[in-house]
Amino acid sequence: ALFMITLGIIISTLTVTSANHWLTAWLGLELNMISILPVITKQKHPRSTEAATKYFLTQAMASALLLFSSTLNAWQTGSWDITQLNNKLSCILMISALTMKMGAAPAHFWLPEVLQGSTLTTTLLITTWQKIAPITLLYMISNHIKSNILLPIGLLSILVGGWGGINQTQLRKMMAYSSIAHLGWTMTVISIAPNIALTNIIIYMAISTPFFLLLTSSSSKTLQTMTTTWAHAPTATIIMMLLLLSMAGLPPLTGFTPKLLILDKLVMHKLTPAATTMAILSLLSLTFYLRTMYLLASTTSPTTTQSTTLWRLKPNYYQITTILTPIALFNITILPALLT
């Protein structure tokens, strides 16, 4: 059963990314949604059932909107081609549908609730892999989107992501708001420089994946339980601390690169007020990243327990974490040269 579900999730995403026809893309998104529902409801608990129901309803609504938008475009222009979304109304409806699919503001309300009712592994899946299909579609129609539509959505997402995360003590909800903020950065620039937007989301996935895997291996679900990880696994704690700083976008780390490129592109397109607003709003996100980092590293003295076995983490996910951590931490200085 697990093999079939995994296969379904992978094939459905690949179907959407390789699709040329709107109905194929819609079919892939539906298959993707059906495949992930058993993963969310795996825990026999009312919270997970509630999360799956919320996920199903929002995704089904977004899929219906996507189908309506593409049908309207085909009716007006006679083309089902994804890259030929020429009808203005279809374009606006499609942006609304994909915004809801991804969980960007103002259609973000389902995301923190669904993540809170899921396991940490499922949370990782929803915040990374499940974003690939809608972002690919947005990338494919980016040449038809006016920046004055996506810019307010992006700014609102950064605001909501920062503001919502400040008040959280639950790590899954905090990471949901972090995801909303990063989607905001992607959406502001996707109509101006789609390649940079794609780079931003790929780097976010590369940072959040090892962070979630380390949370899973240390079974941390709240800020309170995070304070004890220093005594259990000092190395993992230092890596988590650096990953948080990278996610916040502080200069020496990888997370800074896409933000710099995005702000640079916005200024080049005479959108300096938007770039300034984004830079200021990102300070909200920085607040909760720094707070989490402080709780991780500065509340307990850096001493390990006397026991030789208790503090060792289970050796699961180490391969993926080892591969992705250097990418997430060490700035890719060649990147600007590749993107120009």
Side-chain angles (χ1 to χ4, degrees):
L2 183 67
F3 173 74
M4 288 304 292
I5 289 166
T6 312
L7 198 68
I9 291 167
I10 294 166
I11 287 173
S12 58
T13 306
L14 293 176
T15 306
V16 178
T17 51
S18 58
N20 199 33
H21 194 285
W22 275 117
L23 283 180
T24 318
W26 173 79
L27 198 70
L29 287 168
E30 287 295 298
L31 182 62
N32 188 268
M33 178 187 72
I34 292 160
S35 302
I36 196 108
L37 287 175
V39 181
I40 302 170
T41 50
K42 197 177 141 199
Q43 283 180 298
K44 299 290 178 281
H45 194 275
R47 285 301 292 268
S48 55
T49 313
E50 186 189 331
T53 311
K54 283 175 180 171
Y55 186 81
F56 171 75
L57 291 171
T58 44
Q59 297 297 314
M61 207 183 297
S63 292
L65 201 57
L66 182 138
L67 196 59
F68 174 65
S69 166
S70 52
T71 311
L72 186 68
N73 185 65
W75 180 42
Q76 292 290 324
T77 63
S79 171
W80 280 99
D81 198 317
I82 291 175
T83 54
Q84 302 296 318
L85 197 71
N86 298 317
N87 186 273
K88 265 189 179 177
L89 180 60
S90 288
C91 202
I92 292 164
L93 287 171
M94 188 57 70
I95 291 164
S96 308
L98 294 174
T99 302
M100 199 186 290
K101 276 265 171 210
M102 288 185 284
H108 66 280
F109 296 100
W110 64 272
L111 189 63
E113 297 299 319
V114 168
L115 296 197
Q116 187 55 35
S118 313
T119 60
L120 281 164
T121 321
T122 312
T123 306
L124 168 65
L125 193 65
I126 295 169
T127 49
T128 54
W129 186 265
Q130 293 300 95
K131 300 269 187 284
I132 296 170
I135 281 171
T136 308
L137 291 175
L138 203 61
Y139 179 84
M140 287 166 87
I141 63 165
S142 59
N143 59 330
H144 293 291
I145 305 169
K146 297 275 188 293
S147 61
N148 61 357
I149 299 169
L150 279 185
L151 210 58
I153 293 174
L155 287 168
L156 186 64
S157 293
I158 297 168
L159 175 66
V160 166
W163 216 297
I166 282 177
N167 205 23
Q168 297 303 327
T169 54
Q170 295 286 338
L171 286 171
R172 282 167 292 184
K173 277 194 175 179
M174 194 184 85
M175 292 311 291
Y177 283 107
S178 162
S179 168
I180 293 163
H182 278 88
L183 279 173
W185 280 86
T186 304
M187 291 187 86
T188 44
V189 84
I190 201 159
S191 59
I192 300 163
N195 287 352
I196 290 173
L198 219 57
T199 307
N200 178 53
I201 208 74
I202 289 165
I203 286 175
Y204 167 69
M205 288 175 187
I207 299 167
S208 62
T209 304
F211 183 72
F212 268 115
L213 294 176
L214 286 168
L215 284 181
T216 310
S217 57
S218 61
S219 303
S220 301
K221 286 176 185 171
T222 61
L223 289 178
Q224 195 178 1
T225 50
M226 261 187 126
T227 55
T228 59
T229 53
W230 189 267
H232 290 296
T235 317
T237 309
I238 291 164
I239 293 169
M240 279 161 83
M241 191 176 85
L242 290 167
L243 288 169
L244 279 167
L245 291 177
S246 185
M247 222 179 278
L250 291 182
L253 305 162
T254 308
F256 173 67
T257 310
K259 289 189 176 179
L260 179 68
L261 291 169
I262 289 167
L263 294 176
D264 178 51
K265 277 285 174 217
L266 289 170
V267 172
M268 276 171 67
H269 283 78
K270 294 185 173 60
L271 291 166
T272 313
T276 313
T277 311
M278 285 166 71
I280 292 165
L281 289 177
S282 67
L283 293 174
L284 289 168
S285 297
L286 181 65
T287 310
F288 66 80
Y289 289 129
L290 284 178
R291 184 187 61 183
T292 313
M293 196 206 81
Y294 171 76
L295 286 170
L296 257 176
S298 307
T299 49
T300 318
S301 56
T303 52
T304 55
T305 49
Q306 296 302 306
S307 166
T308 53
T309 52
L310 270 176
W311 60 273
R312 306 226 178 262
L313 294 177
K314 296 187 205 82
N316 49 356
Y317 314 121
Y318 274 2
Q319 294 87 348
I320 310 168
T321 313
T322 313
I323 295 162
L324 286 175
T325 304
I327 299 167
L329 294 183
F330 305 120
N331 210 345
I332 311 159
T333 45
I334 200 168
L335 202 65
L338 292 171
L339 290 168
T340 46

